[in-house]
Amino acid sequence: MLAELEELGMQLARATAAKALVDLAEPEPPEEEAEEPLAAESKPEATQAATPRRIASKSSGTPRKSDPVQSFIRLAKAVCELIALEAGLAAGPATTKSSLVSPALRADPRRERLLQAFREVTETTQDKYALRAGFTTRLDEELAADAEKILGLPEIFYPLCQEFGIELNVRTLPDDIIGMDPWDYENDPYCMDPPTPRATPPP
């Protein structure tokens, strides 16, 4: 059925393209010459009587002529979409499986944290859904390339935001995204045994 639709679309596209080429090859019609002033003055009543008829004929419900070029563009786009759909179906279920997130990526703790941070910074963006979809794809690529988890959150987040043209406000970003890990006061030797300040004798 898709192949038949493609063939019908190609036939319509060829016919529309031929009509568009013929219309483009035709010379533009010459402009109507203005009536001579004497003739117009000699028959004012006839001109006035003919004017309402002309207006009525122009304002009749005649459908506007379609542009063959625009029709060809729409048909060509539809045929391309049909070809892509047929290719996707012919590829089988492997295409669908490849679009799923692997268990290794889902288990990566950086993924959900970075996705949440990007949702927060794009909350007021007009095309936020398209940006989030693109960011998710690129994030999965970066995480898959860094299977050893060497890169930290800022090293992944900042370049991707710059790639998508997102201007970040550092004041509103969480500490872990900025690169400031939470301070462990309980196990910090300096906090457990702080130095005792003493005044030094003058020289």
Side-chain angles (χ1 to χ4, degrees):
M1 292 175 65
L2 286 174
E4 186 178 357
L5 286 174
E6 292 170 12
E7 182 59 30
L8 291 173
M10 286 302 303
Q11 292 178 10
L12 291 173
R14 293 189 187 100
T16 307
K19 188 176 185 303
L21 293 174
V22 170
D23 292 348
L24 292 175
E26 290 180 356
E28 297 182 359
E31 297 181 358
E32 297 181 358
E33 297 180 357
E35 297 181 357
E36 297 181 0
L38 295 178
E41 293 177 0
S42 60
K43 299 179 180 180
E45 296 180 357
T47 305
Q48 292 177 1
T51 302
R53 297 178 183 175
R54 294 175 183 173
I55 296 175
S57 63
K58 290 181 180 180
S59 61
S60 60
T62 304
R64 189 176 60 178
K65 184 179 180 181
S66 61
D67 187 2
V69 177
Q70 295 297 328
S71 301
F72 172 75
I73 293 174
R74 288 193 292 268
L75 285 170
K77 182 180 179 182
V79 171
C80 291
E81 292 177 353
L82 287 172
I83 294 174
L85 178 59
E86 185 181 13
L89 292 177
T95 305
T96 307
K97 292 181 180 178
S98 64
S99 62
L100 299 177
V101 180
S102 63
L105 286 178
R106 290 190 180 276
D108 194 334
R110 300 173 297 175
R111 185 176 188 272
E112 184 58 33
R113 187 67 191 94
L114 290 169
L115 289 177
Q116 179 183 359
F118 193 77
R119 285 194 295 267
E120 293 174 358
V121 299
T122 56
E123 187 61 34
T124 58
T125 308
Q126 184 176 3
D127 52 347
K128 57 183 179 182
Y129 297 109
L131 287 172
R132 290 171 181 175
F135 180 85
T136 304
T137 302
R138 288 287 296 112
L139 176 61
D140 291 343
E141 294 174 356
E142 292 294 327
L143 294 178
D146 185 36
E148 298 180 358
K149 300 181 177 58
I150 299 176
L151 299 178
L153 298 181
E155 296 171 318
I156 301 175
F157 190 73
Y158 281 96
L160 288 181
C161 288
Q162 185 178 6
E163 180 179 335
F164 285 91
I166 302 298
E167 296 182 359
L168 298 174
N169 185 3
V170 183
R171 298 179 180 178
T172 61
L173 292 177
D175 292 341
D176 55 346
I177 298 297
I178 296 176
M180 299 176 59
D181 296 330
W183 195 271
D184 189 1
Y185 293 96
E186 296 180 357
N187 298 323
D188 187 5
Y190 185 86
C191 296
M192 296 173 63
D193 187 15
T196 303
R198 297 178 181 178
T200 57

